Amino acid sequence: GDGYDSSNGVGTKSATFTLADDGSKATVIVTAAGTKCPYTLTYTIYNSGVVLVKADLKPAVADLRRIGMAMQFPLAYKDVTYYARGPWSNYVDRKTGSRLGVYTTTVSDMFEELTSPQSCGNHEDLRYLVLKGPTSEKGFKIETSGQVAFSLLNYDDATLRATRHCWDLTAGSKIYAHFDYMQQ
């Protein structure tokens, strides 16, 4: 191979679950030990539908490709409003040319047509993100604090990595989201 390592280095994972006596919230703590970036994720799930996620990431090696979380959303939630740097993609080392603001777009319009597809469509300094479907009154709202970048694409990393040209890509059946503290 080309030396590309897509593993996350996680060796063991454990979880604890706690329900508040009054049933108002549940807490899930996931701890992962491993060789690259051990982490603890604390999910506080309220009966109102709000979910708070606290990520404690501890990079253990240099040259990690990305440090953060990946999530998937249903394909119907393709309409995007975000408060971050934009409107074009930007990265930790190339963000001064993008302005912090509120932008509206779609997931498919966040893809950059590059000769060789790769992770793309990144936006630094995320404050909030709203995903909605065209006829849906409900959606997802994600609010962040601290140093968070995001991307939303119709392709997962493995597909982007395995595809030589963007015209050879076929959109997946989900929206693939990344929320990163840092990426290379």
Side-chain angles (χ1 to χ4, degrees):
D2 59 7
Y4 180 76
D5 180 3
S6 63
S7 70
N8 64 10
V10 172
T12 60
K13 266 198 256 187
S14 64
T16 60
F17 303 86
T18 308
L19 181 60
D21 290 339
D22 64 359
S24 63
K25 68 179 180 178
T27 304
V28 180
I29 300 173
V30 177
T31 303
T35 59
K36 293 183 180 179
C37 189
Y39 61 84
T40 300
L41 300 176
T42 303
Y43 299 87
T44 306
I45 306 159
Y46 294 91
N47 59 11
S48 65
V50 171
V51 178
L52 295 179
V53 181
K54 180 180 182 274
D56 183 14
L57 309 164
K58 295 181 169 91
V61 298
D63 294 330
L64 293 173
R65 189 172 76 81
R66 97 186 320 155
I67 301 169
M69 299 173 59
M71 300 176 78
Q72 296 175 10
F73 294 98
L75 197 55
Y77 295 93
K78 63 182 177 151
D79 295 323
V80 181
T81 300
Y82 64 92
Y83 180 25
R85 289 193 179 267
W88 42 81
S89 65
N90 51 88
Y91 299 86
V92 71
D93 62 339
R94 293 183 291 132
K95 66 182 182 178
T96 57
S98 298
R99 299 203 185 267
L100 191 60
V102 177
Y103 300 96
T104 301
T105 187
T106 63
V107 172
S108 60
D109 284 345
M110 296 184 92
F111 177 73
E112 298 169 335
E113 294 197 19
L114 305 168
T115 304
S116 177
Q118 55 188 312
S119 295
C120 65
N122 191 68
H123 294 273
E124 293 285 326
D125 300 331
L126 177 65
R127 302 298 187 264
Y128 72 80
L129 165 71
V130 176
L131 290 168
K132 283 191 162 188
T135 59
S136 173
E137 293 179 16
K138 297 191 179 209
F140 298 95
K141 182 173 187 183
I142 297 158
E143 296 181 41
T144 66
S145 62
Q147 182 176 322
V148 180
F150 84 99
S151 65
L152 298 169
L153 298 171
N154 293 119
Y155 314 99
D156 63 13
D157 281 357
T159 300
L160 291 171
R161 178 98 181 125
T163 304
R164 187 170 177 121
H165 303 289
C166 62
W167 50 84
D168 294 328
L169 285 167
T170 302
S173 60
K174 295 182 172 93
I175 296 169
Y176 300 93
H178 283 280
F179 299 96
D180 295 326
Y181 169 71
M182 185 65 69
Q183 62 176 266
Q184 208 176 55

